[in-house]
Amino acid sequence: MKMRESVAHWILMHEHPFTIVEEEGFNMMQKRGMLEWENVSRVSIKKDCEKVFEIEKNKLKNLLKSISKISVTTDMWKSTNQKIEYMVLTGHFVDSNWQLQKRVLSFIHLPPPHRGLEIADNLYKCFKDWGIENKVFTISVDNASNNDSAVRILSETFSRVKKLPCGGKLFHVRCCAHILNLMVQDGLSRISYIIEDIHETVTFINQNEGRLNLFSEIVQQLQLPHRKLILECKTRWNSTYQMLSAAIKFKEVFPMYKEREPRYLCCPSNDDWLKVEKVCEILEVFDSATNIISGSEYPTSNLFLNEIFRVKVLLDKKFEDSNEDEFVHDMVKCMKLKFDKYWGDCNLMMSIGAILDPRCKMRVIEFCFPRMYPGNEACENIDKVKKALYELYKEYADEYYSSSGEGNGESDGLRGNNVTIQASSSGWSEFAQFVRTVENIQPQKSDLDNYLEESCYICEEDPIPFDVLQWWRSNSLKYRILLRMARDILAIPITTVASEATFSAGSRVIDTYRVSLATETVEAEEAVLMLSWYISEVLKAVLH
């Protein structure tokens, strides 16, 4: 039975078909390792996988009971063969060890119509199933109109039974990767004919050994340090950027190659290369920002504002530069329109997240906003952020005091560091009561005031990147209320897509193996796949 359970995990972790357990070679290998092994049918192993799913689901439910707030993301996946769409719901939170967690909660079949009402109803059912309907902090979605409608409906539903943090101003988070993707597509569309020529060029040269050898000879003649061309994947804009960046290094090679190869007919002109260079200069910033906001390490929200600031400053600089040609102006204008559509208003979540980085505090918006917004608008937005920051802190402070059952939660130093003292332990409870009665003076300054008034943390150059969560963990006794707020804010994701799909211009698609499975099996397998992956990562860390 232990081996059966391990096989179930193996199938889920590596996405094998259930029929693999019926293969002769698999059973021969199992019997060689354990003579008692008995052949298992695909039906039986499917049931074993479902048991794993239920076990892991119960473990996660128990874990979520200890989480006060959770941020969720949702996205759509489709099966082109079955014409079926699925909705994935992912939870993001910081656990008791101050580690950022990302867990797939539900992967459910969403029958048409996919209006906002149906999406909201299905999301709420998932929340109820996991017991987190009163713990949802934010919802991150892409920018489809039905998602806007779904979030509005959920916001109204939650507002009837509980108060949303900061009056609901943080509840709806737009997918930043999706917005950046749309902006990049606008830029690339301006040179689509050049991209096609470069794509054809790389394909032509790599088509056979003779053409590749000729290209290499010319590269050696020109004594260029670069050796390799890259072919794009047309649905992933970062691969297009990489193809263009690599091809620019050989722009002197292609005209010489054309002279020696009469069948080569798609050589870009000098004017084309100038346009490619200008586009790549812009895409380099987008590529860097996208990698950070949706990296495989699932970054904390303190990193987002600085990346968006870089994009905004770049677009403004290119748009206002009188030395730039008409091509750049037209391209940047379209990209700026999309940027201003989504970030014209002050984005509270990114700003508060950045302020909760001890290296930044209020300095970050004092630096960024005057460069992102004109004149008085920058001052107004700074005031909006301060107001929202203190409003949110007050909610956490009120919750902290009410849950402690005391008028002065700040002075209760005996509960620090998650240590719980039993009432019967050596008279400690009597002493604790004495401390509460004599130290009943309300603090003149809040955690937030003290945090903001202190100097920014100067992080020396270190090979290990700064971990904002571990900084808050180490200061947990100093900021008892603010750390709760920081824990929830820093876990908010700004993108709904996995890091490997961030640059994709296509939709998320169920693979060819899963399209043959029943919808219930797909739902269970996709959900437990992330759980099994998490288990394997923990085991690797322990072994390491």
Side-chain angles (χ1 to χ4, degrees):
M1 294 308 296
K2 290 281 188 183
M3 287 296 293
R4 284 266 298 266
E5 184 181 351
S6 297
V7 169
H9 276 286
W10 172 67
I11 287 174
L12 292 166
M13 288 168 63
H14 299 288
E15 307 179 50
H16 294 304
F18 298 134
T19 54
I20 196 171
V21 297
E22 297 178 344
E23 293 178 0
E24 182 180 356
F26 171 80
N27 285 289
M28 183 173 66
M29 175 183 66
Q30 292 292 88
K31 287 181 179 178
R32 180 164 294 183
M34 185 181 68
L35 294 176
E36 297 84 358
W37 173 260
E38 295 179 0
N39 291 10
V40 186
S41 70
R42 62 180 182 274
V43 176
S44 297
I45 205 65
K46 176 186 172 183
K47 292 178 180 177
D48 289 348
C49 289
E50 289 171 348
K51 288 179 184 177
V52 171
F53 170 69
E54 292 300 329
I55 291 170
E56 296 299 333
K57 184 175 181 180
N58 288 332
K59 286 181 184 177
L60 184 53
K61 273 189 173 182
N62 290 330
L63 174 60
L64 292 178
K65 288 178 182 178
S66 64
I67 303 300
S68 60
K69 290 184 176 63
I70 182 169
S71 292
V72 298
T73 57
T74 182
D75 204 358
M76 298 295 295
W77 290 65
K78 68 179 180 179
S79 164
T80 51
N81 291 6
Q82 293 176 313
K83 308 300 180 186
I84 291 176
E85 292 207 56
Y86 295 85
M87 180 174 68
V88 62
L89 179 70
T90 310
H92 307 257
F93 57 92
V94 174
D95 64 18
S96 58
N97 292 319
W98 285 85
Q99 297 295 321
L100 184 61
Q101 301 289 348
K102 170 183 179 286
R103 302 296 185 88
V104 173
L105 301 179
S106 301
F107 198 98
I108 59 173
H109 172 220
L110 187 65
H114 302 140
R115 299 175 302 179
L117 181 61
E118 284 76 25
I119 294 174
D121 287 345
N122 279 275
L123 284 173
Y124 194 79
K125 287 178 184 176
C126 292
F127 298 152
K128 288 282 288 183
D129 182 41
W130 286 96
I132 60 172
E133 66 272 18
N134 293 320
K135 299 182 178 184
V136 177
F137 189 48
T138 66
I139 297 181
S140 302
V141 294
D142 67 24
N143 301 288
S145 57
N146 56 350
N147 283 331
D148 290 345
S149 177
V151 174
R152 178 181 53 79
I153 293 169
L154 284 171
S155 177
E156 293 172 354
T157 301
F158 288 142
S159 297
R160 293 190 184 99
V161 294
K162 68 170 185 174
K163 182 181 178 182
L164 289 175
C166 207
K169 296 172 188 173
L170 304 177
F171 187 66
H172 184 184
V173 179
R174 296 185 180 276
C175 177
C176 184
H178 182 247
I179 298 167
L180 293 178
N181 204 323
L182 293 175
M183 293 167 67
V184 169
Q185 298 306 324
D186 270 348
L188 290 176
S189 67
R190 299 305 176 108
I191 58 167
S192 57
Y193 65 97
I194 304 175
I195 294 173
E196 189 62 31
D197 282 345
I198 295 176
H199 180 93
E200 292 300 321
T201 294
V202 177
T203 303
F204 180 86
I205 292 172
N206 287 330
Q207 199 163 20
N208 62 55
E209 185 179 2
R211 294 174 182 176
L212 198 57
N213 287 338
L214 176 59
F215 180 79
S216 298
E217 288 174 8
I218 300 172
V219 170
Q220 290 175 10
Q221 288 177 17
L222 296 176
Q223 297 183 358
L224 297 178
H226 312 290
R227 293 287 183 271
K228 188 177 180 182
L229 291 169
I230 298 175
L231 185 64
E232 67 170 336
C233 169
K234 290 192 174 183
T235 60
R236 297 177 68 84
W237 70 259
N238 64 326
S239 72
T240 302
Y241 162 66
Q242 291 162 4
M243 179 185 74
L244 298 178
S245 299
I248 287 174
K249 298 168 185 174
F250 302 100
K251 63 180 180 180
E252 297 174 359
V253 176
F254 299 122
M256 296 175 65
Y257 186 85
K258 184 179 180 181
E259 293 174 358
R260 292 165 173 77
E261 175 54 75
R263 288 171 292 182
Y264 174 49
L265 305 173
C266 48
C267 181
S269 66
N270 288 334
D271 185 55
D272 290 341
W273 287 118
L274 287 175
K275 291 180 178 179
V276 169
E277 286 176 348
K278 290 172 180 177
V279 170
C280 284
E281 186 181 349
I282 295 173
L283 293 188
E284 182 180 7
V285 176
F286 277 80
D287 182 70
S288 173
T290 305
N291 273 311
I292 290 174
I293 66 173
S294 55
S296 57
E297 298 298 321
Y298 303 105
T300 44
S301 64
N302 58 303
L303 302 176
F304 302 151
L305 181 63
N306 285 323
E307 298 310 313
I308 299 306
F309 165 72
R310 289 175 59 207
V311 172
K312 171 68 173 173
V313 169
L314 172 73
L315 294 179
D316 287 344
K317 179 182 176 182
K318 293 292 183 183
F319 186 72
E320 295 167 3
D321 190 349
S322 58
N323 294 324
E324 292 288 357
D325 56 29
E326 186 177 352
F327 163 75
V328 174
H329 274 281
D330 289 344
M331 178 180 65
V332 170
K333 182 179 180 180
C334 292
M335 298 173 86
K336 264 180 61 66
L337 286 174
K338 276 197 169 56
F339 186 99
D340 294 337
K341 177 181 178 181
Y342 295 110
W343 284 294
D345 294 330
C346 174
N347 194 300
L348 292 177
M349 190 282 290
M350 286 192 292
S351 301
I352 294 174
I355 291 169
L356 292 174
D357 186 326
R359 301 168 298 172
C360 303
K361 301 189 178 180
M362 291 299 296
R363 300 296 186 197
V364 70
I365 60 173
E366 292 169 359
F367 172 78
C368 292
F369 280 23
R371 294 164 175 80
M372 294 179 73
Y373 303 102
N376 293 332
E377 191 177 340
C379 296
E380 292 173 1
N381 284 329
I382 290 175
D383 289 339
K384 285 181 183 178
V385 172
K386 286 182 178 178
K387 183 178 178 181
L389 182 67
Y390 275 89
E391 179 184 348
L392 186 62
Y393 175 80
K394 184 178 183 303
E395 293 173 7
Y396 275 85
D398 292 343
E399 182 181 347
Y400 177 81
Y401 293 146
S402 62
S403 63
S404 67
E406 306 168 22
N408 182 17
E410 293 269 2
S411 65
D412 186 7
L414 304 175
R415 295 172 183 251
N417 207 25
N418 297 323
V419 177
T420 302
I421 305 299
Q422 299 296 327
S424 60
S425 59
S426 306
W428 189 270
S429 59
E430 288 83 354
F431 174 68
Q433 184 61 40
F434 168 73
V435 171
R436 293 189 189 102
T437 56
V438 297
E439 296 191 5
N440 56 4
I441 302 173
Q442 288 287 343
Q444 294 181 350
K445 292 184 179 180
S446 67
D447 278 2
L448 181 57
D449 289 326
N450 290 328
Y451 170 77
L452 295 178
E453 288 177 7
E454 291 178 353
S455 301
C456 292
Y457 174 70
I458 305 300
C459 186
E460 301 294 339
E461 291 296 327
D462 195 303
I464 301 175
F466 177 72
D467 189 335
V468 67
L469 293 178
Q470 291 308 308
W471 186 92
W472 278 102
R473 182 184 189 182
S474 64
N475 286 272
S476 59
L477 292 177
K478 188 176 182 180
Y479 304 111
R480 301 232 178 124
I481 299 175
L482 189 59
L483 75 90
R484 300 183 180 206
M485 176 173 146
R487 181 179 54 202
D488 296 333
I489 290 290
L490 293 172
I492 300 174
I494 201 173
T495 176
T496 65
V497 296
S499 57
E500 64 273 10
T502 298
F503 302 93
S504 179
S507 59
R508 265 63 70 198
V509 179
I510 302 295
D511 63 33
T512 53
Y513 157 57
R514 283 175 177 74
V515 299
S516 63
L517 300 176
T519 55
E520 296 82 4
T521 308
V522 174
E523 292 168 15
E525 190 179 49
E526 289 287 351
V528 80
L529 179 60
M530 179 58 76
L531 294 170
S532 297
W533 171 86
Y534 174 74
I535 292 169
S536 70
E537 292 300 303
V538 171
L539 289 173
K540 288 178 188 175
V542 171
L543 292 172
H544 180 70

